[in-house]
Structures are given as structure tokens and as C-alpha cells.
Amino acid sequence: MALPRLLMRFMDWALNFDDREGVPEAIFEMECMICHAVSELCDNEGETSQLWALKHTGRHPTHREFKLLTETFWRVDPMPGNPFADMGPLRSLPRGASR
């Protein structure tokens, strides 16, 4: 019995930052490594999270270790010559992005 044949065609793709309108460059959140309290999520600037960490340490002087959580959005785009390039741009925004 012959095994079925599988033909795979490789296409060119590019991994890019998702820079569509409404998609933040990054979302920042700071987490205290002592009590695991977290700052509010903040789009496109980390200063608010940094200020939160300073205030948190001011209220809890032994809490001096933090983890910055940063979320960025990416997409895969078809390169010229890829048959999916003719499909047009993506329509939906990633989860967490504002509309």
C-alpha cells in the first residue's frame, strides 16, 4: 500500500510590530515581588507603572523588588509573491487593544 503524498509549498512571511490604528505600542504593568500587588495597566508609557512602584515602596518600605510586565502586539504579514498578500489587511484588533 502506497503512503499518501503530501505536497507543501513554502511561502514568504514577515513578522512585524502591529502598528495599526488603535493598537498600543506596549501595555505596561508593575508587580511587587513581595506581596504580588500590581499596578493598573497602562498603554504606551511605563512612567505610571514606575511611579506606582515608588508609591508602593513608600507605603511598604520592605517591598523593594518589582517585575515589569510588558505586552507588545505582533502580526505576521504575507510578503510579495505570497498568495495571501491579495487578501488585504487584517480587520480585527488583538485582544486588549482599544477600538
Side-chain angles (χ1 to χ4, degrees):
M1 176 176 181
L3 295 174
R5 297 183 70 187
L6 177 65
L7 176 63
M8 295 184 70
R9 181 173 174 218
F10 293 95
M11 296 172 265
D12 291 328
W13 297 89
L15 182 63
N16 299 299
F17 282 110
D18 194 343
D19 58 358
R20 291 175 293 156
E21 185 177 332
V23 179
E25 291 178 25
I27 297 175
F28 299 96
E29 178 181 54
M30 192 72 77
E31 179 181 356
C32 174
M33 298 307 295
I34 305 302
C35 70
H36 302 287
V38 294
S39 68
E40 292 184 20
L41 296 174
C42 187
D43 288 359
N44 297 329
E45 57 91 13
E47 191 173 305
T48 302
S49 298
Q50 295 170 17
L51 183 58
W52 177 88
L54 293 168
K55 288 180 179 180
H56 184 78
T57 298
R59 290 188 300 273
H60 309 281
T62 60
H63 296 206
R64 300 178 190 176
E65 299 170 9
F66 296 88
K67 174 173 60 175
L68 176 64
L69 305 166
T70 306
E71 186 174 318
T72 58
F73 297 94
W74 293 75
R75 67 170 189 255
V76 175
D77 294 318
M79 297 292 290
N82 183 321
F84 291 100
D86 297 332
M87 291 180 64
L90 297 173
R91 293 190 178 98
S92 64
L93 293 175
R95 182 177 51 88
S98 59
R99 295 201 176 261

